[in-house]
Amino acid sequence: VLVNGREEYVARPGEELTYAIRYANVSGVQLSDLSILGSFLGEMYDFSALDSSLTLDSRNRLRWDKANTPTLEQLEAGGSGEVQFRVKLKNQYPIARLSDKNFRLRASVEASSPTVPYYLTGDKTRALREVITKVQGAVDVDARVYYRDSDSGMVNGGTLPPRVGEETEYTVHWLLRNYSTDVRNMRVRATLPFGVEWTGHVKSDTETLPLYDELTREVSWEVSEISATNGILNPPLRAIFQVRVR
């Protein structure tokens, strides 16, 4: 079972996935009435946009047999083939609880035939395969700039609107929101354009503060760890620094 051409694939929200199910008859005898049943479980699947002539049942299963795939009626010894379908993923993570994280897509496939080779006992011949696809997480950085910002504890001076040749101060807020996976050793960076000065007034609600490099004019904020759903079900992490515009 391949997902977008790979045995191991990391999916993204909103992406379209192509599942390719390859099969081969290695039993040594012809197999009749072959059927392939695929079960697809995962909250990120968007089956409303399923691109297939197949019908999804109430248990999120798809079935291929001779009715929709004529080549499955008789599969000669050594014969092989492939069936495919495409499905989209939801654009948004379905997060409602703190435990809603590390989303995975589970595809379980069974190929079976009532034909049983002479050297085996049983009521059918079958093969099983399961593929688990991880869905990558995402972090949002929301940057906001304020002039009147008494809630931050910083007082901005200067004229508003700003005037050429006169100083006006602003506070910049960086808000971090993390969705479905725990993230470590993250760094947020931005470069101050010429005409914008760093005042040195900073604060954050983490153990680290934004730092300023005078040579590169870069502001950076390192966060050692941010848990999944932080900022989604509770307030985001926040860092604040003041700048002066001339």
Side-chain angles (χ1 to χ4, degrees), residues 140-162:
D140 280 347
V141 181
D142 184 6
R144 304 179 182 183
V145 180
Y146 298 96
Y147 175 73
R148 294 183 176 86
D149 191 18
S150 59
D151 290 342
S152 71
M154 299 183 187
V155 178
N156 295 317
T159 59
L160 189 71

Side-chain angles (χ1 to χ4, degrees), residues 1 9 23 25 33 52 60 64 75 89 106 135 137 152-153 175 198 204 219 234 238:
V1 180
Y9 186 77
Y23 56 89
N25 181 3
D33 295 329
S52 174
N60 291 343
W64 293 264
L75 185 62
L89 301 185
R106 185 185 301 271
V135 180
S152 71
L175 309 178
W198 173 265
S204 79
V219 182
N234 53 12
R238 182 188 303 264

Side-chain angles (χ1 to χ4, degrees), residues 175-246:
L175 309 178
L176 293 184
R177 296 181 178 87
N178 185 25
Y179 289 86
S180 80
T181 58
D182 296 336
V183 176
R184 293 181 177 86
N185 301 322
M186 188 175 63
R187 188 181 186 190
V188 183
R189 297 183 297 176
T191 301
L192 298 185
F194 290 100
V196 179
E197 299 176 353
W198 173 265
T199 69
H201 296 294
V202 295
K203 64 187 304 184
S204 79
D205 52 13
T206 70
E207 72 279 5
T208 58
L209 295 170
L211 301 176
Y212 180 62
D213 187 325
E214 293 185 0
L215 295 178
T216 62
R217 302 184 60 80
E218 183 180 83
V219 182
S220 63
W221 179 34
E222 295 185 356
V223 179
S224 60
E225 183 174 1
I226 177 170
S227 301
T229 74
N230 199 139
I232 310 303
L233 301 178
N234 53 12
L237 297 184
R238 182 188 303 264
I240 305 172
F241 58 92
Q242 188 185 60
V243 295
R244 181 181 298 116
V245 177
R246 292 182 181 273

Side-chain angles (χ1 to χ4, degrees), residues 102-122:
N102 299 326
F103 292 96
R104 288 173 168 80
L105 310 168
R106 185 185 301 271
S108 301
V109 179
E110 175 183 325
S112 63
S113 167
T115 303
V116 180
Y118 61 89
Y119 51 82
L120 296 177
T121 59

